[in-house]
Amino acid sequence: MYKKGIVVKIENEQVTILPFIKDACASCSHNCSEHGGVHCEPYLATNPHSIPLKEGMVVGIAAEKKAEAVQGIASLLFPFLFAVAGFIFSAKIAGLLGMIATEGFKALCTLSFLCASALIVLVLTRIFPLSGQNQIVEVYRNEV
């Protein structure tokens, strides 16, 4: 994940960032968060590289590498493994239901396991959100 934003507030280790909807937002004089802008909700970021910052600077934001790795494993590998398990266990499931494991039934089991894993990932990430912080990685311009 990589985004651009404008520094709006600096407090100790936390920096409040107003994201861009697009690059044209850099020269915009409206404060979308005050006017109810849907995509302009400010969020917090850290400055682990101790980049000298001032309010109004345009910065690049990236997610913590560890959080990105965990997210990738959870959202890609876990559903893939579930889909494979659905295909492997389709014959046993068909036997328990008194059916024959046709190709259509195997596909149905594979798809069902895939959807179940996506639902599990969704629920788990809502219950246990990733703790990774957004990090400021570069400065584009000194001021807007």
Side-chain angles (χ1 to χ4, degrees), residues 16 24 31-33 38 44 54 60 70 73 77 81 89 107 114 122 124-125 142-143:
T16 304
N31 189 348
C32 296
S33 62
V38 177
L44 296 176
K54 293 187 294 186
V70 170
I73 290 169
L77 185 61
L81 293 175
F89 293 122
L114 181 65
L122 178 69
L124 288 178
T125 55
N142 284 341
E143 295 190 32

Side-chain angles (χ1 to χ4, degrees), residues 9-24:
K9 189 169 156 186
I10 303 169
E11 291 181 337
N12 301 326
E13 300 290 319
Q14 297 291 321
V15 180
T16 304
I17 305 291
L18 187 63
F20 287 153
I21 298 172
K22 53 188 174 209
D23 285 337

Side-chain angles (χ1 to χ4, degrees), residues 10-79:
I10 303 169
E11 291 181 337
N12 301 326
E13 300 290 319
Q14 297 291 321
V15 180
T16 304
I17 305 291
L18 187 63
F20 287 153
I21 298 172
K22 53 188 174 209
D23 285 337
C25 293
S27 60
C28 179
S29 62
H30 297 95
N31 189 348
C32 296
S33 62
E34 290 179 4
H35 299 292
V38 177
H39 299 288
C40 289
E41 290 298 318
Y43 58 92
L44 296 176
T46 60
N47 187 5
H49 305 296
S50 300
I51 299 171
L53 297 173
K54 293 187 294 186
E55 290 182 7
M57 288 182 151
V58 178
V59 295
I61 309 294
E64 207 172 0
K65 297 297 179 199
K66 187 177 181 180
E68 281 184 337
V70 170
Q71 182 181 10
I73 290 169
S75 63
L76 296 173
L77 185 61
F78 187 65

Side-chain angles (χ1 to χ4, degrees), residues 82-129:
F82 255 63
V84 170
F87 182 78
I88 292 171
F89 293 122
S90 62
K92 288 192 181 226
I93 294 170
L96 291 173
L97 297 174
M99 300 172 62
I100 298 171
T102 62
E103 291 301 316
F105 187 78
K106 288 179 182 180
L108 179 66
C109 286
T110 303
L111 189 59
S112 298
F113 273 57
L114 181 65
C115 290
S117 70
L119 204 66
I120 291 168
V121 168
L122 178 69
V123 169
L124 288 178
T125 55
R126 297 295 180 245
I127 295 171
F128 306 107

